[in-house]
Amino acid sequence: SDLAAVRFCTRHTMAAPKKACIVGSGNWGSAIAKIVGANAAEKDGFDTTVNMWVFEEMVNGRKLTEIINTDHENVKYLPGHKLPPNVVAIPDIVDAATGADILVFVIPHQFIGKICDTLKGKIKKDAIGISLIKGVDEGPDGLKLISEVIREKLGIAVSVLMGANIASEVAEEKFCETTIGCRNKEQGALLKELFQTPNFRVTVVEEADVVEICGALKNVVAVGAGFCDGLGMGDNTKAAVIRLGLMEMIAFARLFCTSSQVSSATFLESCGVADLITTCYGGRNRKVAEAFAKTGKTIEQLEKEMLNGQKLQGPLTSAEVNQILSHKNLLHKFPLFNAIYQICYKGHPVTEFISCLQNHPEHV
């Protein structure tokens, strides 16, 4: 609660200020750096300097880090939005993370393993992490959450933040909500203090694994919503895809979240139905999937043409989910997820997408 956050901060006003580091600098990373930078500068208990690891690249003949540190704007990934001057862009990941108490991971999920391998043994032992990364990995027992990858590789506690948070709207300070999944109440209060603003409202829940699964799977459903748009199927069909997608998200969570009871209430938080609806009507996964259905170009082609260097998470997550379900012999229970994978990667005609809904177990 807000009161818990106040009590936490009151107890720790004499403690050393907590230093935050943003690991990533795409559009979402830059939008969240705007929030974290402003809060670190204004609130007690945080070091005023926020390091942000930036993958170095040249933009109009200048290094991106130089542009950010001089002009305080990520002109490639979040143009038109000023970053707080206390956000410092650093091209070396180890330099950026050195001394950090809170590591905010916000990079495409396919890169997290390599980043953690680079950071291993080079961060504070009592640091905590929070993952804003939307995706899953495949482990020896099936599902492996990105927070688990970070936790195992770095040996630190890791929470998650997921919600209906389109980066450009967050950067414009339009009102929205988000969900932090954290099992430790003190850490949850600290993280809420770091992220919450009057227009970015944070709710903390304990079902961190469910929160994270919602963030990953909603991108898969959004691909299906984009197919509907590209095929001109209308709002009724799209609503059916969203509802059936939510049912498969809940079923998937109940199969694989063995560390906590999966309550329906978590799906009613911002990380659940709100994020699902937002992503199915906006966002890059829906947009690219619509173009896929209209143009016949590959996902890879469209990613290069439409995303300005950003990475698409929905199709890749569908492939990982497909492998996990295939190994468990459960594909038949998730026809929507399976159809999206088959269309994206196996040449199945997108025009047959709706047939998977007509025989969905929910209708039998």
Side-chain angles (χ1 to χ4, degrees):
S1 67
D2 290 338
L3 182 59
V6 170
R7 287 173 176 164
F8 178 87
C9 292
T10 302
R11 290 199 306 272
H12 288 76
T13 50
M14 301 305 292
K18 301 293 185 183
K19 185 173 179 61
C21 169
I22 312 292
V23 181
S25 58
N27 67 335
W28 185 213
S30 297
I32 216 69
K34 186 177 176 183
I35 288 174
V36 170
N39 280 345
E42 295 168 5
K43 295 184 178 182
D44 294 334
F46 298 105
D47 190 302
T48 54
T49 299
V50 174
N51 290 349
M52 178 170 71
W53 174 64
V54 175
F55 179 78
E56 191 69 280
E57 51 190 312
M58 300 301 291
V59 180
N60 298 325
R62 298 172 67 193
K63 291 180 178 179
L64 185 54
T65 52
E66 176 201 334
I67 296 171
I68 293 171
N69 290 332
T70 303
D71 303 338
H72 307 297
E73 182 181 351
N74 189 334
V75 295
K76 180 164 185 181
Y77 296 111
L78 196 69
H81 296 282
K82 289 293 183 182
L83 298 176
N86 59 315
V87 173
V88 179
I90 298 176
D92 184 280
I93 180 62
V94 174
D95 289 347
T98 296
D101 300 288
I102 304 169
L103 293 163
V104 182
F105 293 93
V106 54
I107 57 175
H109 79 274
Q110 56 264 46
F111 302 135
I112 191 61
K114 183 178 179 181
I115 288 296
C116 287
D117 288 340
T118 304
L119 287 174
K120 189 172 183 178
K122 299 187 173 100
I123 60 171
K124 293 178 74 168
K125 291 183 178 179
D126 60 349
I128 62 172
I130 181 163
S131 172
L132 281 61
I133 300 169
K134 295 179 174 178
V136 293
D137 203 355
E138 188 190 6
D141 300 317
L143 177 76
K144 175 166 273 193
L145 299 172
I146 300 302
S147 62
E148 288 183 83
V149 175
I150 300 170
R151 190 179 300 118
E152 289 177 6
K153 286 182 176 288
L154 298 182
I156 62 174
V158 185
S159 302
V160 297
L161 182 151
M162 307 282 158
N165 309 139
I166 292 175
S168 60
E169 295 183 13
V170 172
E172 290 165 8
E173 299 181 25
K174 293 180 178 178
F175 178 83
C176 67
E177 301 174 313
T178 200
T179 310
I180 289 178
C182 180
R183 294 184 180 88
N184 181 299
K185 289 187 177 180
E186 280 205 349
Q187 289 177 7
L190 174 67
L191 293 169
K192 180 171 182 173
E193 188 73 5
L194 180 63
F195 287 100
Q196 180 155 274
T197 74
N199 287 318
F200 192 71
R201 307 304 294 174
V202 176
T203 299
V204 182
V205 302
E206 291 187 10
E207 289 184 0
D209 47 0
V210 180
V211 172
E212 189 168 3
I213 279 180
C214 284
L217 297 185
K218 59 96 183 186
N219 282 329
V220 180
V221 182
V223 173
F227 291 161
C228 288
D229 291 338
L231 295 169
M233 290 295 182
D235 287 336
N236 290 343
T237 304
K238 188 170 176 178
V241 167
I242 294 170
R243 189 193 76 82
L244 293 169
L246 177 62
M247 298 307 293
E248 291 195 11
M249 287 168 60
I250 294 170
F252 190 95
R254 287 180 171 158
L255 278 170
F256 292 99
C257 291
T258 55
S259 61
S260 63
Q261 183 180 359
V262 178
S263 68
S264 298
T266 303
F267 292 91
L268 298 178
E269 297 290 349
S270 182
C271 63
V273 67
D275 195 11
L276 178 62
I277 292 169
T278 297
T279 309
C280 287
Y281 279 90
R284 70 189 78 158
N285 289 281
R286 188 218 62 81
K287 181 180 177 183
V288 172
E290 179 183 16
F292 177 89
K294 285 181 174 178
T295 67
K297 294 181 179 179
T298 67
I299 293 291
E300 292 77 11
Q301 281 178 289
L302 292 167
E303 186 179 66
K304 289 176 183 176
E305 292 176 10
M306 300 175 66
L307 297 185
N308 191 34
Q310 297 176 70
K311 295 296 182 183
L312 203 63
Q313 298 301 306
L316 185 58
T317 301
S318 79
E320 288 157 345
V321 166
N322 189 271
Q323 285 185 301
I324 291 164
L325 293 173
S326 180
H327 288 167
K328 298 281 188 181
N329 197 27
L330 291 170
L331 282 175
H332 62 287
K333 292 184 178 292
F334 297 86
L336 183 68
F337 290 170
N338 187 39
I340 290 165
Y341 166 73
Q342 295 293 335
I343 291 166
C344 287
Y345 291 106
K346 296 298 181 182
H348 195 83
V350 69
T351 51
E352 296 181 15
F353 174 57
I354 300 306
S355 65
C356 79
L357 308 183
Q358 294 168 338
N359 299 309
H360 198 284
E362 281 290 305
H363 299 150
V364 175

